[in-house]
């Protein structure tokens, strides 16, 4: 099988795995709950950064200023975030389980209360001698996940099996009261079940709760292995395995592994104090500083790879946003933003990079090229600074640099592969957006693309982000659809915005306009389009002479803005020789107020030298008011009239009447959507002599229009 075919087959297999993982709603709930507590994690992590920055002058000031008040202040924030992280996890997971797995909306208190109850029982928080702060913090995170999933699964099962219908009607009761009455029996059963399981754990294993059982199991595994390369490799693998499924591997395992690794630095420090050579390689600081730089998966390497090799605007914007936290080894923004969690494409580099870093760092220290870690360094210490402080040598910083470069090269092909897969998937999702928009156009039911849930909404937001950069660049992609008279002479063109996306190709034009509207960029885009046409007018006149007219679309909202009128005046002053060649074509006339103020505004625009046209002109009351205003130079017939003009006599009659009105008011009239010679000939019989449509040409780039 050729290499290319194998690559395609491999990519399809990865995509199927990705889709299956993301279709498992239980995993979606765990992932969603971690995303929800990212603000808590980041706030807590930055308080650690601010408290532990290894700069002697700063540390002296921090602990001496106002008797350490600032350090105490940060300590309160740390305890309110990381100190009760497991409790945040219980609440967020209960909410996500109810909304994603059970697709429940409304009152979530039953699931949240039952989850907190189960967590308190499973964690043993009220047992005699229990370390409450330790259990509520990151060390209780795995128990928080298990107890919440247990409580929610049982809660919803009980709700299906046991129908509780308590009807107590008094003047003081409401819906909340009835809900709370229904919660009593399920919560009682969950409490009894969780307590019974703890009794089973004690009878079988001699531990009083699930938290102790889980620590006992992991302790047995790692203590049997000891502190060596094999156990360290196993720890690194398990941390990343848990993280890949959205579980904070470091926090889950640190309650056990910390007791094995933490003494490593202390033993080395004691050896140095005694005048001996430190020899213990593996420690918590060793892993934080040299193996998982930037957080699990050595995501600082991924961040650098994105900056170097990713061209997609959205991904680079994410990288810029995540850069500062990543320097302090806070990587949740990358883990869930790229994403890495549940993403099989990133699975290989996510596991491979820290393992390679472990091998390189172990070899460097065994060979004596880099001193072992003999100083405790907080996990939030930035790269290079951490390597120097941990080893007391510049060699530590150099080792970090080597690991960073190797990691970037490992991530590089997968960043490119992810780019191609995202592009392929996004093209399909853009198709769904187009379907939604076309359905809205057919049914005339408004749709908000940015408010769509799931993939459609994500892609809409991603396109808007790219589109914003396109508009702000001031270099839009312009196409021109020629306009002809009945003597087959090109008299002008309509300037149309087109978006040839660098990844997804040509985007459906109405979708572009819709996204511009929803992001409130349409007015800016309309200004950029007009200015672009004026800049190109010299070249257009060289081909089509001074009488050529270029139509530029302007929405009804924009044309009524003082800002747009000021812009037109500015352009007229800058390009006075070209304003008479610009036909401002007003769309969405149904939304306009045809009053004296509006007519006065259009009169001022005409006095600047511009010409005015009405788009999609029909027989409605609003359209007739346009003619009475006496400020328009052209009307463009509603395309729906032209499309069936050959078969529909009523359409012919309407066109005939509008032509007569236009002639009476001495206004030019142009038919759009002219696609056949028969349509053109019939329009000519009806005295309509200006045409635009596929019979003559589709919209084409400027260079082709000038040919």
């Amino acid at each position: 099988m050729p290499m290319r075919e194998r690559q395609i087959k491999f990519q399809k297999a990865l995509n199927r795995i990705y889709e299956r993982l993301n279709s498992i709603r239980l995993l979606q709930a765990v992932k969603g709950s971690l995303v929800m507590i990212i603000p808590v994690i980041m706030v807590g992590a930055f308080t650690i950064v601010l408290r532990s920055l290894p700069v002697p002058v700063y540390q002296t000031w921090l602990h001496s200023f106002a008797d350490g008040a600032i350090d105490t202040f940060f300590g309160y924030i740390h305890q309110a975030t990381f100190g009760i992280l497991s409790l945040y996890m219980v609440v967020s997971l209960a909410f996500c389980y109810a909304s994603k797995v059970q697709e429940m909306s409304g009152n979530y208190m039953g699931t949240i209360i039952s989850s907190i109850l189960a967590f308190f029982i499973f964690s043993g928080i009220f047992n005699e001698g229990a370390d409450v702060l330790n259990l509520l913090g990151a060390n209780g995170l795995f128990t928080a996940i298990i107890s919440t999933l247990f409580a929610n699964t049982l809660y919803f099962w009980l709700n299906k099996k046991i129908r509780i219908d308590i009807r107590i009607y008094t003047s003081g009761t409401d819906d909340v009261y009835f809900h709370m009455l229904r919660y009593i029996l399920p919560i009682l059963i969950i409490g009894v079940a969780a307590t019974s399981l703890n009794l089973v754990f004690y009878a079988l294993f001699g531990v009083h709760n699930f938290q102790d059982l889980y620590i006992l199991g992991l302790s047995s595994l790692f203590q049997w292995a000891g502190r060596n390369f094999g156990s360290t490799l196993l720890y690194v693998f398990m941390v990343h395995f848990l993280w890949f499924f959205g579980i904070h591997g470091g926090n889950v395992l640190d309650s056990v592994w910390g007791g094995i690794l933490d003494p490593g630095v202390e033993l080395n420090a004691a050896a140095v104090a005694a005048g001996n050579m430190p020899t213990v390689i593996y420690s918590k600081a060793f892993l934080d500083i040299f193996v998982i730089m930037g957080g699990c998966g050595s995501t600082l390497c991924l961040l650098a790879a994105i900056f170097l090799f990713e061209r997609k605007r959205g991904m680079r914007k994410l990288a810029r946003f995540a850069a500062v936290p990543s320097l302090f080894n806070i990587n949740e923004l990358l883990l869930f933003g790229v994403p890495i969690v549940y993403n099989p494409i990133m699975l290989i580099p996510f596991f491979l990079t820290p393992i390679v870093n472990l091998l390189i760092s172990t070899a460097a220290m065994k060979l004596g090229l880099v001193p072992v870690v003999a100083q405790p360094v907080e996990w939030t210490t930035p790269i290079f600074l951490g390597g120097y402080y941990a080893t007391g040598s510049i060699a530590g910083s150099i080792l970090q640099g080597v690991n960073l470069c190797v990691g970037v090269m490992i991530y590089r092909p997968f960043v490119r592969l992810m780019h191609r897969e995202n592009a392929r998937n996004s093209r399909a999702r853009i198709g769904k957006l187009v379907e939604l928009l076309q359905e809205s156009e057919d049914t005339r039911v408004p749709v908000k693309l940015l408010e769509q849930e799931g993939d459609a909404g994500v892609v809409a937001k991603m396109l808007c982000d790219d589109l914003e950069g396109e508009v702000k660049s001031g270099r839009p992609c312009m196409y021109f659809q020629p306009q002809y008279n009945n003597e087959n002479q090109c008299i002008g063109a309509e300037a149309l915005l087109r978006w040839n996306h660098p990844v997804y190709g040509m985007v459906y034009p109405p979708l572009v306009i819709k996204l511009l509207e929803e992001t409130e960029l349409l007015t800016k885009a309309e200004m950029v389009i007009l200015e672009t046409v004026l800049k190109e007018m010299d070249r257009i006149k060289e081909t089509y002479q001074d009488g050529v007219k270029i139509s530029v679309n302007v929405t009804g909202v924009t044309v009524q803005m003082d800002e747009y009128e000021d812009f037109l005046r500015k352009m007229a002053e800058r390009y006075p020789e070209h304003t008479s060649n610009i036909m401002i074509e007003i769309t969405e006339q149904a939304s306009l107020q045809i009053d004296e103020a509006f007519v006065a505004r259009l009169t001022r625009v005409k006095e600047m030298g511009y010409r005015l046209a009405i788009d999609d002109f029909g027989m409605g009351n609003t359209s007739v008011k346009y003619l009475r205003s006496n400020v328009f130079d052209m009307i463009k017939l509603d395309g729906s009239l032209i499309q069936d003009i050959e078969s529909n006599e009523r359409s012919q009659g309407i066109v005939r009447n509008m032509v007569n009105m236009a002639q009476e008011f001495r206004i030019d009239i142009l038919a759009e959507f002219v696609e056949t010679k028969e349509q053109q000939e019939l329009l000519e019989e009806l005295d309509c002599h200006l045409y635009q449509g596929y019979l003559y040409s589709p919209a084409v780039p400027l260079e082709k229009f000038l040919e």
Side-chain angles (χ1 to χ4, degrees):
M1 183 184 293
M3 179 65 72
R4 179 59 180 165
E5 290 184 17
R6 285 199 296 269
Q7 289 178 344
I8 293 173
K9 189 175 181 180
F10 177 66
Q11 290 176 23
K12 288 181 178 179
L14 287 178
N15 194 56
R16 285 194 297 270
I17 294 172
Y18 178 73
E19 290 175 353
R20 287 176 184 173
L21 286 173
N22 278 279
S23 67
I24 301 173
R25 289 186 292 179
L26 191 64
L27 295 180
Q28 289 178 353
V30 176
K31 175 184 175 181
S33 63
L34 270 169
V35 172
M36 288 179 68
I37 64 173
I38 281 178
V40 176
I41 293 173
M42 294 196 65
V43 170
F46 274 118
T47 60
I48 295 176
V49 171
L50 293 171
R51 296 182 77 190
S52 61
L53 196 65
V55 179
V57 174
Y58 173 78
Q59 286 295 323
T60 300
W61 172 82
L62 185 67
H63 291 94
S64 62
F65 182 78
D67 294 327
I70 294 179
D71 183 58
T72 303
F73 174 80
F74 289 144
Y76 287 146
I77 299 175
H78 177 263
Q79 288 301 326
T81 50
F82 276 132
I84 54 171
L85 188 62
S86 294
L87 201 55
Y88 287 113
M89 186 67 188
V90 169
V91 174
S92 64
L93 181 53
F95 176 86
C96 288
Y97 187 101
S99 59
K100 292 181 181 292
V101 178
Q102 296 297 325
E103 297 182 349
M104 167 187 166
S105 60
N107 198 318
Y108 296 95
M109 284 307 299
T111 63
I112 293 173
I113 291 173
S114 60
S115 298
I116 293 174
L117 174 68
F119 170 65
F120 285 162
I121 294 172
F122 275 163
S123 65
I125 196 170
F126 298 118
N127 290 0
E128 185 177 350
D131 187 348
V132 176
L133 292 179
N134 180 59
L135 293 171
L136 288 178
N139 288 339
L141 200 59
F142 185 68
T143 300
I145 293 171
I146 296 300
S147 58
T148 304
L149 294 178
F150 165 79
N152 277 263
T153 302
L154 184 55
Y155 177 86
F156 285 107
W157 183 83
L158 289 170
N159 273 341
K160 291 178 181 178
K161 297 296 181 181
I162 304 174
R163 291 291 179 183
I164 302 173
D165 191 13
I166 301 175
R167 299 177 182 273
I168 302 174
Y169 300 104
T170 68
S171 60
T173 60
D174 55 17
D175 288 341
V176 175
Y177 179 79
F178 294 135
H179 278 301
M180 299 310 294
L181 290 178
R182 294 190 185 103
Y183 296 158
I184 294 173
L185 185 56
I187 291 174
L188 174 62
I189 294 174
I190 290 168
V192 171
T195 304
S196 300
L197 281 174
N198 274 353
L199 293 176
V200 172
F201 297 150
Y202 181 75
L204 295 177
F205 306 104
V207 295
H208 293 281
N209 49 68
F210 176 81
Q211 174 78 6
D212 291 343
L213 177 65
Y214 137 71
I215 291 177
L216 176 65
L218 288 178
S219 297
S220 300
L221 174 64
F222 285 111
Q223 286 176 358
W224 170 80
R227 189 194 306 115
N228 53 45
F229 177 79
S231 61
T232 306
L233 179 62
L234 176 62
Y235 169 79
V236 170
F237 175 83
M238 290 188 64
V239 165
H240 290 82
F241 179 80
L242 291 172
W243 251 125
F244 184 74
F245 289 97
I247 300 171
H248 201 301
N251 288 339
V252 167
L253 297 178
D254 277 357
S255 57
V256 176
W257 186 244
I260 299 171
L261 277 183
D262 285 346
V265 174
E266 296 173 6
L267 292 172
N268 287 335
V272 171
N276 299 320
M277 287 293 294
T279 58
V280 180
I281 293 177
Y282 304 110
S283 63
K284 183 68 168 60
F286 166 81
L287 291 176
D288 290 337
I289 300 301
F290 296 108
V291 177
I292 52 175
M293 301 178 301
C296 287
S298 303
T299 45
L300 194 61
C301 305
L302 171 61
L303 182 76
I306 291 173
F307 278 125
L308 291 172
F309 309 117
E310 176 61 71
R311 296 180 182 177
K312 192 175 175 182
R313 174 182 167 86
M315 191 65 74
R316 292 181 65 85
K317 190 174 182 180
L318 169 67
R320 288 195 296 271
F321 185 59
V324 173
S326 293
L327 288 175
F328 295 100
N329 301 322
I330 304 167
N331 66 342
E332 278 77 9
L333 291 176
L334 281 177
L335 287 173
F336 294 102
V338 169
I340 293 175
V341 176
Y342 303 133
N343 187 346
I345 293 176
M346 302 306 293
L347 173 64
I348 294 175
F350 184 66
F351 277 81
L352 183 60
T353 306
I355 290 174
V356 171
N357 285 347
L358 175 62
L359 291 169
I360 294 173
S361 302
T362 298
M365 292 183 183
K366 280 189 175 294
L367 293 173
L369 301 175
V370 178
V372 298
V373 177
Q375 294 293 330
V377 178
E378 195 63 59
W379 61 272
T380 53
T381 306
I383 189 173
F384 303 128
L385 195 62
Y388 176 77
Y389 276 105
T391 62
S393 169
I394 193 66
S397 300
I398 295 173
L399 177 58
Q400 284 187 302
V402 171
N403 287 346
L404 178 65
C405 294
V406 172
V408 168
M409 298 314 295
I410 293 174
Y411 270 107
R412 177 185 178 185
F414 295 94
V415 167
R416 291 182 170 178
L417 175 61
M418 184 177 64
H419 176 92
R420 291 195 294 269
E421 281 299 298
N422 286 342
R424 188 180 67 82
N425 293 333
S426 295
R427 277 192 288 269
R429 294 165 187 161
I430 289 171
K432 293 180 182 179
L433 287 179
V434 172
E435 290 176 7
L436 284 172
L437 183 58
Q438 290 176 336
E439 181 181 348
S440 173
E441 292 170 345
D442 292 339
T443 60
R444 298 190 181 277
V445 176
V447 62
K448 289 284 189 181
L449 299 181
L450 292 178
E451 295 178 2
Q452 296 298 308
E453 295 183 355
D455 290 340
V458 171
V459 172
K461 294 179 180 68
M462 177 194 68
L463 286 175
C464 285
D465 187 58
D466 292 342
L467 192 55
E468 180 180 0
E470 190 78 11
V471 171
K472 289 183 177 179
S473 72
R475 298 184 299 275
C477 177
M478 300 298 304
Y479 274 45
F480 294 79
Q481 186 168 28
Q483 298 168 341
Y484 281 75
N485 62 20
N486 60 334
E487 296 178 357
N488 210 36
Q489 294 176 328
C490 182
I491 58 166
E494 181 178 358
L496 299 166
L497 177 65
R498 293 291 183 263
W499 189 21
N500 190 7
H501 195 283
V503 178
Y504 313 123
M506 195 64 73
V507 181
Y508 180 56
L511 177 60
V512 178
I513 301 301
K514 177 64 175 173
L515 293 175
L516 286 171
E517 287 178 354
E518 293 194 17
T519 52
E520 299 181 354
L521 284 171
L522 188 54
T523 296
K524 173 65 176 176
E526 288 169 338
M527 292 180 180
V528 170
I529 290 168
L530 177 59
E531 187 170 4
T532 301
V533 171
L534 286 167
K535 288 178 180 178
E536 299 291 351
M537 192 57 70
D538 284 330
R539 297 177 63 199
I540 295 173
K541 284 184 177 181
E542 287 179 8
T543 301
Y544 292 101
Q545 310 305 319
D546 289 340
V548 66
K549 299 292 186 293
I550 303 298
S551 297
V552 177
N553 288 314
V554 180
T555 55
V557 174
T558 298
V559 79
Q560 298 179 88
M561 295 172 62
D562 292 338
E563 178 187 0
Y564 189 71
E565 184 178 340
D566 294 339
F567 167 76
L568 290 177
R569 184 173 292 105
K570 179 180 176 182
M571 291 297 101
E573 293 170 356
R574 185 178 300 176
Y575 303 99
E577 70 280 14
H578 297 328
T579 50
S580 61
N581 302 102
I582 299 296
M583 183 80 72
I584 296 177
E585 192 174 306
I586 300 174
T587 63
E588 299 176 5
Q589 63 267 27
S591 66
L592 293 176
Q593 288 256 322
I594 313 300
D595 53 19
E596 291 183 3
F598 178 65
V599 172
R601 185 184 297 276
L602 294 183
T603 301
R604 292 194 296 272
V605 172
K606 282 204 70 171
E607 290 172 352
M608 297 176 199
Y610 299 101
R611 293 165 64 85
L612 299 173
I614 312 170
D615 192 24
D616 293 335
F617 186 82
M619 288 296 291
N621 184 52
T622 303
S623 296
V624 174
K625 284 184 177 180
Y626 271 120
L627 294 182
R628 291 173 56 192
S629 66
N630 197 34
V631 293
F632 289 94
D633 303 284
M634 176 185 285
I635 59 177
K636 298 183 75 172
L637 295 174
D638 190 327
S640 61
L641 295 172
I642 309 304
Q643 289 173 326
D644 67 349
I645 194 170
E646 295 178 80
S647 58
N648 192 326
E649 292 185 1
R650 291 187 177 182
S651 293
Q652 295 176 21
I654 293 172
V655 171
R656 182 182 293 107
N657 289 333
M658 286 193 286
V659 168
N660 290 337
M661 280 194 299
Q663 289 176 342
E664 182 176 345
F665 287 102
R666 293 177 181 161
I667 298 174
D668 293 333
I669 186 165
L670 182 145
E672 292 186 287
F673 296 96
V674 180
E675 298 179 351
T676 67
K677 185 64 177 174
E678 290 74 18
Q679 289 175 333
Q680 184 270 323
E681 290 175 348
L682 182 54
L683 286 165
E684 189 170 5
E685 291 176 10
L686 296 172
D687 275 345
C688 177
H689 303 304
L690 302 177
Y691 320 107
Q692 178 182 334
Y694 277 23
L695 174 63
Y696 298 95
S697 173
V700 295
L702 177 61
E703 298 303 325
K704 190 166 184 179
F705 174 62
L706 295 178
E707 291 175 3

